[in-house]
Amino acid sequence: MHALEHNFETMVRFFILLIEFAGIAVIVISMIRGFIGFVRKDEHTRIELAQGIMLGLEFKIGSEVLRSVIVTTWSELGTLAAIILLRSLLTLLLHWEIGEEEKREKEKMEKAKVVEAPAE
């Protein structure tokens, strides 16, 4: 029975690392793309960067949820809950920021259309 628990914990830790790596990779790739967009002065860079960070954070939250399977003490569980809460709040903040940025871009496009419209 002890060997089965050990194998299960090892498997869970492997998948946690895999998911953590995926989250880190998404965030790093998003940062690189964001930097390139910044240099090129792309208008959509902020939204794309925020979406990439948000996706990376969701992977990280998923790994923390999986980590909850192997937590053994209450203090570890409290720490885990705090990490999940913090990452969830960051995700919500980014979601709000994306919405606000999309509204600004939409207003900007509507103003541009009004300026470009020929006078009759």
Side-chain angles (χ1 to χ4, degrees):
M1 188 66 163
H2 180 69
L4 182 63
E5 287 177 10
H6 177 72
N7 289 339
F8 177 74
E9 186 173 335
T10 302
M11 182 179 68
V12 170
R13 287 188 188 278
F14 171 75
F15 285 116
I16 289 170
L17 287 174
L18 192 64
I19 295 169
E20 289 270 339
F21 177 74
I24 291 168
V26 167
I27 291 171
V28 169
I29 290 168
S30 297
M31 292 292 180
I32 291 169
R33 291 178 67 195
F35 181 75
I36 292 169
F38 172 75
V39 170
R40 292 182 178 170
K41 299 187 187 326
D42 184 9
E43 295 178 8
H44 304 289
T45 299
R46 286 177 54 103
I47 292 175
E48 291 172 1
L49 180 60
Q51 288 173 336
I53 293 171
M54 194 168 63
L55 179 61
L57 281 172
E58 288 172 1
F59 272 102
K60 303 285 279 171
I61 290 169
S63 72
E64 297 300 333
V65 169
L66 190 57
R67 190 181 316 271
S68 70
V69 172
I70 58 174
V71 169
T72 57
T73 66
W74 284 105
S75 64
E76 287 178 336
L77 186 62
T79 303
L80 189 62
I83 291 169
I84 290 172
L85 178 64
L86 179 61
R87 288 181 178 170
S88 296
L89 288 174
L90 285 171
T91 301
L92 286 173
L93 181 63
L94 284 169
H95 182 69
W96 175 79
E97 178 67 27
I98 289 169
E100 291 297 312
E101 189 66 27
E102 287 175 342
K103 285 180 192 175
R104 279 185 237 140
E105 282 190 8
K106 185 177 179 181
E107 289 172 2
K108 192 176 180 182
M109 288 175 56
E110 288 174 357
K111 286 180 183 178
K113 285 180 182 178
V114 170
V115 172
E116 291 176 1
E120 294 182 26

